[in-house]
Amino acid sequence: MSELDYQPYDLETLAIRAGQSRTPEQEHSDPIFATSSYVFNSAAEAAARFSGKQPGNIYSRFTNPTVRAFEQRLAALEGGERCIAVASGMAAIATVGFGLLKAGDHVVCSRGVFGNTVILLQNYFGKFGVPSTFVDLTDYEAWEEAIRPQTRFLFLETPSNPLTQIADIRRLADIAHAHGCLLVVDNCFLTPALQKPLQLGADIVVHSATKYLDGQGRCVGGAIVGGLDLLDKEIYPYLRTGGPTMSPFNAWVFLKGLETLSLRMRAHGENALDLAQWLEAQTWIDRVHYPGLPSHSQHELAKQQQRSGGGIVSFEVRGGREEAWKLIDSTRLLSITANLGDVKTTITHPASTTHGRLSEQERAAAGIRESLVRIAVGLEAIEDIKNDLLNAFA
Ligand SMILES: *Cc1c(COP(=O)(O)O)cnc(C)c1O
């Protein structure tokens, strides 16, 4: 299927069909091009390829057919013109930064983002003379006030990790554009199967493909999706030079993962809603955070912006770290790991893992309490997940 043919098709179809270009072998499933380099028919052809005058493969740091197939498929799903695959979700964020920022620029970022994103902006881009201001995800006045003439982009995740707070993407896109900035959204938690930030006005979407795009916890990868000009001119040159490349094997795993993305995301959402409703009825739990619950303070916005609440549920146990750790340690079925987006349900204590490198003050500002437990709901039978938690509590 060529890009021109995408228009009439739904996401479920594109997830299976977009991006494939068959070789003369006429394979039905996508092949893996495990090659680091490519051969040219002549010195003149090599020169034309290197100069960019002739399109085609050059070297797998920046051109590989399997990686390209994944890029085209994900771009089709997000509704973006161009996708750049990279080695990890963090590499995606770093690559956006290296591509777009120069010393003297400034970034405004939600406080409720992945812990490493905060460290990347603060410690690394900060070191190169690009300061960041962190604001509450849902305080739109604070976003606007934080913007300076030097601000290049606003960065956020919605829903946030682990509290599942929702930001109005369209509203933040309008704020960004009114000030001549770009809006970058980390769409890891919902994927294009449940939320399409570019349609809501975002300029760039970043992904940790490690999570739901793979869906079965096998490979680490990332991606950047957005407009052709922006990605080709400002971000791709960094990939070519800096080299945070996705391996063809990983690209193939993600490519196959996309084929079942919609089905899996629907099932994750159904299981998570069931679990969240059940948790809310338990007396040993203080509070449940899940956008699919009417008790969630942004439930209405979530219903407009997302197809479902997604797969992440967090809750606060009565007590603090001791009680949270005891519950986690007493589960038998759930995996104790900070990963998410896997068919296997995982349980984690954000304050001492994903957000452990933040200062106590930063954690408090982000609302991450010691009593907080996060569950990334997998695809096991939901009754087994509930029973495991109930037995663990007992
Ligand atoms: C995991 C994660 C990342 C980082 O992705 P890696 O593939 O682990 O580098 C970034 N953002 C969010 C929301 C994540 O959950």
Side-chain angles (χ1 to χ4, degrees):
M1 234 205 255
S2 83
E3 275 167 68
L4 290 174
D5 301 331
Y6 291 169
Q7 206 83 52
Y9 293 107
D10 274 345
L11 183 127
E12 283 75 11
T13 308
L14 293 173
I16 292 167
R17 296 282 180 178
Q20 185 169 30
S21 49
R22 260 177 216 132
T23 74
E25 299 293 344
Q26 296 189 284
E27 68 284 349
H28 197 194
S29 177
D30 304 86
I32 305 178
F33 285 88
T35 181
S36 52
S37 60
Y38 304 84
V39 181
F40 309 107
N41 289 313
S42 64
E45 188 183 73
R49 289 267 176 92
F50 270 84
S51 71
K53 283 193 186 111
Q54 187 193 95
N57 299 315
I58 300 172
Y59 183 61
S60 282
R61 188 190 322 113
F62 54 102
T63 51
N64 179 277
T66 315
V67 174
R68 192 179 316 124
F70 165 71
E71 289 173 339
Q72 290 179 352
R73 190 167 295 176
L74 184 61
L77 299 190
E78 287 284 3
E81 293 172 336
R82 173 83 158 96
C83 170
I84 297 170
V86 287
S88 69
M90 288 319 301
I93 300 168
T95 299
V96 167
F98 279 118
L100 296 182
L101 299 169
K102 61 179 188 311
D105 282 350
H106 171 250
V107 173
V108 185
C109 183
S110 158
R111 238 179 229 125
V113 295
F114 192 59
N116 283 300
T117 304
V118 176
I119 293 163
L120 177 70
L121 289 172
Q122 241 171 17
N123 297 11
Y124 294 92
F125 286 109
K127 188 169 76 172
F128 293 118
V130 181
S132 290
T133 306
F134 294 89
V135 297
D136 272 359
L137 179 65
T138 57
D139 186 344
Y140 302 99
E141 273 168 34
W143 280 99
E144 196 144 19
E145 273 166 23
I147 294 174
R148 306 174 188 171
Q150 299 81 8
T151 305
R152 186 76 170 100
F153 61 79
L154 316 186
F155 187 98
L156 66 116
E157 286 167 29
T158 179
S160 70
N161 177 25
L163 291 175
T164 73
Q165 284 181 306
I166 312 287
D168 187 333
I169 295 174
R170 193 173 293 283
R171 188 163 170 185
L172 283 171
D174 289 345
I175 291 174
H177 298 154
H179 293 273
C181 319
L182 301 172
L183 184 70
V184 184
V185 177
D186 184 333
N187 201 25
C188 170
F189 269 39
L190 292 180
T191 80
L194 300 182
Q195 171 174 276
K196 293 193 175 184
L198 299 177
Q199 278 181 0
L200 297 167
D203 302 283
I204 292 177
V205 161
V206 293
H207 269 288
S208 168
T210 317
K211 315 294 169 51
Y212 293 107
L213 303 191
D214 173 340
Q216 295 181 58
R218 296 162 293 196
C219 293
V220 174
I224 305 154
V225 191
L228 190 61
D229 242 28
L230 187 64
L231 264 64
D232 261 354
K233 292 203 180 117
E234 302 204 46
I235 297 178
Y236 183 66
Y238 175 74
L239 171 81
R240 180 171 178 158
T241 308
T245 308
M246 175 181 283
S247 90
F249 177 78
N250 289 4
W252 181 81
V253 171
F254 299 135
L255 191 59
K256 302 306 281 180
L258 289 182
E259 293 178 357
T260 56
L261 179 68
S262 195
L263 267 180
R264 287 186 286 103
M265 292 314 290
R266 204 177 311 154
H268 280 292
E270 282 166 12
N271 258 2
L273 178 61
D274 192 327
L275 183 71
Q277 286 167 337
W278 178 82
L279 285 167
E280 210 169 34
Q282 305 301 308
T283 53
W284 46 279
I285 281 170
D286 258 351
R287 205 170 151 201
V288 182
H289 305 273
Y290 185 66
L293 290 176
S295 61
H296 190 283
S297 60
Q298 294 145 302
H299 180 59
E300 286 308 313
L301 175 61
K303 279 204 296 193
Q304 286 166 28
Q305 191 167 278
Q306 317 175 179
R307 267 203 196 171
S308 85
I312 309 296
V313 178
S314 62
F315 58 89
E316 279 155 46
V317 296
R318 295 254 152 95
R321 174 178 293 212
E322 197 187 330
E323 287 74 15
W325 278 23
K326 209 164 167 189
L327 176 77
I328 291 168
D329 291 346
S330 306
T331 58
R332 301 181 64 176
L333 177 71
L334 306 197
S335 314
I336 305 176
T337 167
N339 194 30
L340 63 101
D342 196 321
V343 287
K344 298 185 177 87
T345 299
T346 68
I347 188 165
T348 188
H349 183 245
S352 56
T353 58
T354 48
H355 294 67
R357 283 197 285 165
L358 301 185
S359 71
E360 216 164 295
Q361 251 177 341
E362 286 167 328
R363 263 201 304 278
I368 311 218
R369 299 204 181 94
E370 291 289 344
S371 56
L372 191 73
V373 174
R374 189 196 76 188
I375 294 190
V377 186
L379 302 184
E380 302 97 334
I382 191 62
E383 295 308 320
D384 291 333
I385 298 171
K386 289 178 195 168
N387 283 335
D388 198 36
L389 284 166
L390 200 57
N391 292 336
F393 171 71

